[in-house]
């Protein structure tokens, strides 16, 4: 009995994943630059965090509605405890 050939993921789904990943990297770089500039101008990072959360939530609510955003927020404590938002140093 011959083995079935291994299928690889390709096509639109993979291209979409790459597109999203690249845009996330670009967005992160832009936000980090703005964050550094704000800190250089004396704005405390905890205040920046609050402002960013507020802006993110208001934008999400506008796009997805209050119920969808509430569902996202309900999952946040577990994700925080799981380390999803903990920055770890990459080994060199």
């Amino acid at each position: 009995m011959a083995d079935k050939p291994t299928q690889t993921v390709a096509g639109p789904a993979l291209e979409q994943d790459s597109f999203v990943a690249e845009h996330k990297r670009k967005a992160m770089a832009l936000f980090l630059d703005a964050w550094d500039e704000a800190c250089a101008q004396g704005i405390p990072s905890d205040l920046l965090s609050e402002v960013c959360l507020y802006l993110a939530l208001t934008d999400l609510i506008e796009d997805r509605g209050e119920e969808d955003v509430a569902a996202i927020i309900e999952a946040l404590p577990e994700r925080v405890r799981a380390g999803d938002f903990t920055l770890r140093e990459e080994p060199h």
Side-chain angles (χ1 to χ4, degrees):
M1 175 182 234
D3 290 333
K4 289 184 178 181
T6 304
Q7 293 182 341
T8 58
V9 178
L14 184 58
E15 290 173 11
Q16 180 66 20
D17 289 346
S18 296
F19 177 83
V20 170
E22 180 62 23
H23 278 74
K24 282 184 179 182
R25 281 191 291 275
K26 287 179 182 179
M28 182 71 81
L30 290 169
F31 276 103
L32 287 174
D33 288 345
W35 189 282
D36 289 344
E37 179 62 28
C39 287
Q41 292 187 25
I43 300 173
S45 63
D46 60 337
L47 180 59
L48 286 171
S49 298
E50 287 182 35
V51 168
C52 287
L53 281 171
Y54 174 81
L55 292 173
L57 290 172
T58 56
D59 194 57
L60 274 174
I61 289 169
E62 187 174 312
D63 290 346
R64 299 183 185 184
E66 292 171 343
E67 286 304 314
D68 282 351
V69 174
I72 292 168
I73 291 171
E74 287 173 353
L76 286 178
E78 292 153 14
R79 291 185 65 198
V80 168
R81 289 183 185 103
D84 287 357
F85 304 102
T86 302
L87 296 178
R88 293 175 178 81
E89 285 192 34
E90 296 288 326
H92 297 298

